[in-house]
């Protein structure tokens, strides 16, 4: 069982920045494909970004390309999401997820992920 704990959310004005962190409880963190999802009120959970086990490969949803950067530090068992140029439409609960896989593929369906954090609220005011 892998526990994931997000932190770093908060309230920020449009155009501002936040850095989310996702700390994992497993020593085998480097074997998991990781991802960020978000869910706004009244909407379905939405894929944001994913990163390969070693961190070399990343993939983003179109709406955050050029503004968000996903990264990971396997020595610290932690994944990050640097969010710049935030917009009110980025307001959501952001959750990290882990997927068991022996190779890299881009999976955007939440059902493909095995472990989830509780989420952290990001609110962007206009």
């Amino acid at each position: 069982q892998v526990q994931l704990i997000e932190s770093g959310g908060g309230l920020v004005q449009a155009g501002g920045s936040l850095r989310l962190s996702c700390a994992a409880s497993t020593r085998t963190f480097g074997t998991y494909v990781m991802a960020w999802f978000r869910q706004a009120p009244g909407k379905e959970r939405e894929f944001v970004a994913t990163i390969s086990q070693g961190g070399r490969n990343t993939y983003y949803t179109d709406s955050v390309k050029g503004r968000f950067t996903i990264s990971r530090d396997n020595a610290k068992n932690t994944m990050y999401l640097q969010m710049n140029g935030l917009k009110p439409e980025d307001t959501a609960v952001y959750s990290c997820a882990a997927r068991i896989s022996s190779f890299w593929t881009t999976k955007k369906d939440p059902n493909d992920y095995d472990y989830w954090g509780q989420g952290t609220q990001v609110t962007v005011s206009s």
Side-chain angles (χ1 to χ4, degrees):
Q1 187 73 14
V2 176
Q3 288 188 323
L4 303 174
I5 301 175
E6 302 94 338
S7 62
L11 173 64
V12 64
Q13 289 187 331
S17 299
L18 282 174
R19 188 195 196 201
L20 305 183
S21 298
C22 172
S25 65
T26 176
R27 293 180 181 180
T28 59
F29 176 72
T31 66
Y32 292 88
V33 175
M34 300 296 296
W36 287 99
F37 287 79
R38 65 187 180 185
Q39 188 167 21
K43 295 187 177 181
E44 292 187 352
R45 184 172 283 175
E46 175 190 24
F47 167 83
V48 176
T50 184
I51 187 167
S52 61
Q53 293 89 330
R56 174 177 294 184
N57 299 297
T58 59
Y59 180 81
Y60 300 88
T61 192
D62 286 345
S63 62
V64 308
K65 283 181 181 177
R67 299 188 298 122
F68 290 10
T69 302
I70 189 172
S71 62
R72 66 191 296 166
D73 185 339
N74 288 345
K76 296 182 178 179
N77 295 337
T78 303
M79 175 180 65
Y80 305 97
L81 186 67
Q82 177 66 43
M83 304 186 294
N84 299 327
L86 282 161
K87 304 175 181 180
E89 51 263 43
D90 294 318
T91 295
V93 174
Y94 284 70
S95 299
C96 61
R99 180 165 64 86
I100 300 169
S101 179
S102 48
F103 52 88
W104 162 247
T105 57
T106 55
K107 297 289 188 181
K108 298 185 287 184
D109 186 341
N111 292 319
D112 288 321
Y113 288 80
D114 302 292
Y115 303 104
W116 290 86
Q118 293 292 326
T120 184
Q121 176 70 46
V122 171
T123 303
V124 184
S125 63
S126 56

